[in-house]
Amino acid sequence: MRSLLCPAVCLLALPLSPALAQGDPSAVVESTGDFLIVGAGLASMPDYEGSDERRIMPVPGAIGQVGGIKFFYLGDRISVDLLAEKPGARWDVQLGPVASVGFNRARVGDVADPRIKALGGLGYAVELGGYVGLARTGVITSAYDQLSVTVSYRRDVAGAHGGGLLMPTVNYMTPLSRKALVLVFAQATHADQRYNERTYGVDAAQSAASGLPVYRARAGWKSVSAGVGGDLSLTGDLTSGLSLIGGVMYARLLGSAAESPATSIAGQRDQWFAGLGLAYAF
């Protein structure tokens, strides 16, 4: 029996919800051996955290398994589950590394609000870390649905923000048939003082340039989010062929992420994401 990571994850795991890129939200179907799923689509999302402006961007992704070791790639992040799942096992322990590139306000040249432009770009963060998780197959609806809980931690090593992010996540997947499945998830993100001060703080120089008040950010939970996605096979079934994938996600900014002048000026504590695309399973 093989665990197929749901291709809809590629459009659910958007910038405010990296959790799905380090967990194992999988669709379990009858099959064996190595596999590869590649996908691409378009996603609509806020221009930056807290923005009321939106942008459309391409989202490539790939999920695979080689020798029992799973990997997940999504646009700006990649993770690997180093613990091979035992054939027929209902419990799956997950452990592995995670790498990501942070794009939130990395460049502000295209931002419409001149006050945000005056704050300056944050630069591109290179976040490295790892995750641990536990998944159970055969939980509620059938022998093939799956519930998983993961906790991940990533820290910037490029000096963009220099901080760390802790993210607990709960995922639930249930196949509706051999041609369709649904995935739902919930996640929270905790940011340390260094991350929040660099990302949401406004120092004296930035205040003078932008007209925004000086603000000192604090460590704490920066967001909670939840989403739903689907995968509908167009040819073959979920184990092979072409699929239509899509998802929507809601995130609520909290703490310094919501109170900072860098985000509250747009008044958008509620953030929405949506994506649609195609995936092919080999």
Side-chain angles (χ1 to χ4, degrees), residues 84-145:
E85 183 179 356
K86 296 181 180 179
R90 299 187 67 183
W91 290 97
D92 179 27
V93 179
Q94 305 154 7
L95 177 69
V98 179
S100 178
V101 178
F103 290 95
N104 183 41
R105 280 176 50 212
R107 296 185 300 175
V108 292
D110 296 330
V111 174
D113 195 314
R115 294 168 295 181
I116 299 299
K117 285 186 178 180
L119 292 176
L122 299 176
Y124 295 98
V126 178
E127 299 165 352
L128 303 180
Y131 78 96
V132 62
L134 182 65
R136 167 76 173 186
T137 301
V139 183
I140 302 173
T141 61
S142 70
Y144 303 119
D145 68 339

Side-chain angles (χ1 to χ4, degrees), residues 6-280:
C6 171
V9 173
C10 295
L11 294 176
L12 280 173
L14 297 173
L16 276 186
S17 183
L20 292 182
Q22 60 260 353
D24 182 21
S26 40
V28 184
V29 293
E30 288 290 343
S31 186
T32 59
D34 300 337
F35 69 92
L36 175 64
I37 302 172
V38 295
L42 294 176
S44 171
M45 65 188 67
D47 203 23
Y48 59 89
E49 286 188 8
S51 175
D52 58 355
E53 301 289 333
R54 303 190 67 81
R55 58 174 169 159
I56 303 294
M57 65 178 295
V59 182
I63 302 166
Q65 177 173 288
V66 179
I69 305 300
K70 303 184 188 74
F71 67 88
F72 181 103
Y73 161 71
L74 170 71
D76 61 353
R77 61 185 65 97
I78 188 169
S79 66
V80 179
D81 182 1
L82 298 176
L83 302 182
E85 183 179 356
K86 296 181 180 179
R90 299 187 67 183
W91 290 97
D92 179 27
V93 179
Q94 305 154 7
L95 177 69
V98 179
S100 178
V101 178
F103 290 95
N104 183 41
R105 280 176 50 212
R107 296 185 300 175
V108 292
D110 296 330
V111 174
D113 195 314
R115 294 168 295 181
I116 299 299
K117 285 186 178 180
L119 292 176
L122 299 176
Y124 295 98
V126 178
E127 299 165 352
L128 303 180
Y131 78 96
V132 62
L134 182 65
R136 167 76 173 186
T137 301
V139 183
I140 302 173
T141 61
S142 70
Y144 303 119
D145 68 339
Q146 185 179 84
L147 177 68
S148 66
V149 178
T150 61
V151 178
S152 71
Y153 179 80
R154 301 198 317 267
R155 191 171 191 87
D156 173 38
V157 298
H161 58 71
L165 296 169
L166 179 71
M167 289 161 286
T169 309
V170 177
N171 301 297
Y172 176 73
M173 183 288 309
T174 181
L176 305 178
S177 68
R178 291 188 64 87
K179 288 182 172 290
L181 61 80
V182 174
L183 169 72
V184 296
F185 80 94
Q187 175 216 332
T189 302
H190 185 279
D192 63 15
Q193 175 72 30
R194 183 174 295 182
Y195 178 96
N196 277 350
E197 185 61 27
R198 173 60 178 151
T199 306
Y200 308 115
V202 179
D203 61 26
Q206 290 174 316
S207 176
S210 66
L212 298 175
V214 172
Y215 179 78
R216 182 168 179 80
R218 62 191 184 277
W221 295 101
K222 80 178 190 73
S223 66
V224 292
S225 57
V228 58
D231 180 352
L232 177 64
S233 177
L234 301 177
T235 64
D237 56 26
L238 294 174
T239 67
S240 62
L242 188 67
S243 292
L244 177 68
I245 56 177
V248 294
M249 187 189 80
Y250 165 77
R252 173 76 174 181
L253 299 182
L254 307 173
S256 291
E259 299 166 1
S260 168
T263 55
S264 62
I265 56 175
Q268 294 296 316
R269 293 190 178 191
D270 300 312
Q271 305 274 275
W272 287 94
F273 305 80
L276 186 68
L278 296 172
Y280 194 88

